[in-house]
Amino acid sequence: MINVFNIEKFAIHDGPGIRTTVFLKGCPLHCPWCSNPESLSLKPVFMHDERKCTLCGRCMEKCESNAISISSSIENYERNNKTKELFVHDTDKCILCGKCEKACLNKAISIYGKYMEIEEIVDEVMKDIDYYESSGGGVTISGGEPFIQFDEFMELIKILKKKGLHVAVETTGNYSKEKLKKAEPYIDLFLFDIKHIDEEKLKSFTGADKNTVVANLKEIPVEKLIMRVPVIPGFNSSEKDIKDIIEFGHKNNVKIINLLPFHPFGTIKWQQMGKVYQYENIPIMNKSELEKYKEYGKSMGIDIKIGG
Ligand code: SF4
Ligand code: SF4
């Protein structure tokens, strides 16, 4: 069994062609800009969408742990006191049983993370084999960090390769070299994150260990490697930072780099988890801001793509 939080069909940004992307739970890092915060913990995650919630109370009736309540608060609006009702979820009491999710007719509650049999995932992936064959696509394992559930991940990619599929993995590179060496023969493409080359900054923002990440990057055959750089304002978006990262790629024979412009689309998910997203008010980065690096990469023989 492997802990999955989403299976996305017809993905076109996670490797070549049309793909199915399987998102696994658990990540060793804590990047504050993460747009999939439901992936971070290996435990299931409760999310409530107040835009869909009509405060009907059905979920509250089904919850045997008394973890849901609808409370009233008095708000002063144009000098008139108005009563506003609020959905309240108590994480300490919640045992993540999922009864509220089933009870909600508006799909306002989602619990992310469920254990699936490896065969169940393979069956789901194989449903779109015709699309993979006609488009040169395949399957991408993403997360979280797929290497966190290592034994199950290995079992999955071995079966997918046996089925003749193109297997890509989106990875942080933050795990032991032994694990990478075991998995590498079953992976056709690594979408490998390099977030910063300043060791201290990388550590303090994300928790990643630069030496581990770089050592793993060097292990991957260059024809299997695309380096990915999420460009984050205030972290690595200066011209010097981006050029340093491109030069780092050049020194390590990287031939393709994807610069991924920042977007704040994760905001809603953080809110639904009852957390504050630190990048909520940072505007989306325009792709055109990164276009200039294409020439810089070209001068070193690197194909720079913006997005993807
Ligand atoms: S059942 Fe759904 S719509 Fe009703 S209160 Fe619960 S979350 Fe809101
Ligand atoms: S997941 Fe279960 S325990 Fe948690 S709020 Fe929903 S019904 Fe209650």
Side-chain angles (χ1 to χ4, degrees):
M1 301 279 270
I2 190 164
N3 197 343
V4 177
F5 73 92
N6 194 12
I7 296 181
E8 190 178 309
K9 301 289 199 124
F10 295 97
I12 52 166
H13 296 297
D14 303 332
I18 295 171
R19 313 187 70 82
T20 295
T21 302
V22 180
F23 292 88
L24 303 183
K25 289 269 288 172
C27 185
L29 310 187
H30 49 73
C31 310
W33 54 81
C34 182
S35 53
N36 287 328
E38 73 276 37
S39 74
L40 299 177
S41 164
L42 264 171
K43 285 189 191 160
V45 169
F46 178 100
M47 291 170 85
H48 175 255
D49 189 341
E50 66 177 21
R51 297 166 306 173
K52 294 180 183 168
C53 179
T54 56
L55 298 166
C56 70
R58 278 175 61 92
C59 54
M60 193 170 74
E61 285 163 18
K62 293 287 174 195
C63 179
E64 289 161 16
S65 306
N66 293 323
I68 295 176
S69 54
I70 293 177
S71 76
S72 301
S73 72
I74 309 277
E75 285 195 348
N76 190 281
Y77 180 71
E78 289 181 351
R79 295 194 191 155
N80 290 316
N81 281 341
K82 286 202 167 181
T83 306
K84 193 181 173 198
E85 293 198 306
L86 288 173
F87 176 97
V88 181
H89 174 247
D90 187 334
T91 45
D92 292 335
K93 289 184 181 166
C94 177
I95 56 166
L96 297 163
C97 68
K99 287 181 182 161
C100 54
E101 185 185 28
K102 287 196 188 94
C104 179
L105 303 177
N106 298 330
K107 299 198 180 313
I109 293 176
S110 305
I111 296 182
Y112 283 92
K114 67 168 180 173
Y115 280 95
M116 292 178 73
E117 298 286 352
I118 302 287
E119 292 72 25
E120 206 184 332
I121 298 174
V122 174
D123 289 349
E124 195 57 41
V125 167
M126 291 307 287
K127 285 179 186 167
D128 289 342
I129 181 84
D130 292 347
Y131 294 106
Y132 313 147
E133 285 181 355
S134 61
S135 69
V139 59
T140 300
I141 316 296
S142 184
E145 168 53 67
F147 279 71
I148 283 274
Q149 301 183 70
F150 185 67
D151 293 341
E152 298 82 0
F153 166 65
M154 282 298 295
E155 201 184 328
L156 176 61
I157 58 176
K158 279 181 183 173
I159 297 176
L160 294 171
K161 270 324 293 168
K162 229 179 188 170
K163 297 269 182 195
L165 297 186
H166 179 276
V167 175
V169 64
E170 287 186 328
T171 182
T172 65
N174 198 74
Y175 37 78
S176 74
K177 198 184 280 186
E178 288 68 34
K179 285 184 177 173
L180 180 74
K181 281 183 169 175
K182 279 187 192 165
E184 186 274 322
Y186 304 98
I187 297 172
D188 299 292
L189 179 65
F190 287 81
L191 302 163
F192 194 103
D193 270 14
I194 291 290
K195 299 181 174 86
H196 214 298
I197 58 160
D198 180 297
E199 192 172 349
E200 284 305 309
K201 209 164 181 188
L202 182 70
K203 186 85 186 170
S204 65
F205 272 75
T206 74
D209 178 65
K210 184 187 165 190
N211 292 332
T212 303
V213 173
V214 172
N216 280 339
L217 180 117
K218 288 176 192 287
E219 280 295 317
I220 299 169
V222 67
E223 66 279 6
K224 286 188 174 187
L225 179 63
I226 294 179
M227 206 171 100
R228 283 189 146 184
V229 186
V231 182
I232 309 297
F235 172 64
N236 63 0
S237 60
S238 73
E239 186 159 335
K240 180 178 182 319
D241 284 341
I242 296 175
K243 284 186 169 175
D244 283 353
I245 292 171
I246 295 170
E247 278 168 34
F248 164 84
H250 176 56
K251 281 186 197 140
N252 286 284
N253 291 320
V254 174
K255 298 296 174 218
I256 305 175
I257 297 180
N258 291 352
L259 297 179
L260 310 175
F262 169 79
H263 63 74
F265 302 154
T267 303
I268 297 281
K269 290 184 179 178
W270 285 86
Q271 286 170 351
Q272 288 176 11
M273 287 170 64
K275 296 187 174 170
V276 175
Y277 185 46
Q278 294 177 34
Y279 290 78
E280 184 173 342
N281 297 315
I282 310 275
I284 190 167
M285 187 179 284
N286 202 314
K287 275 186 174 188
S288 61
E289 287 179 47
L290 302 175
E291 286 290 328
K292 61 185 174 190
Y293 298 108
K294 283 186 172 176
E295 276 307 308
Y296 189 70
K298 204 171 171 186
S299 69
M300 298 179 199
I302 299 177
D303 183 11
I304 306 262
K305 293 191 168 69
I306 315 298

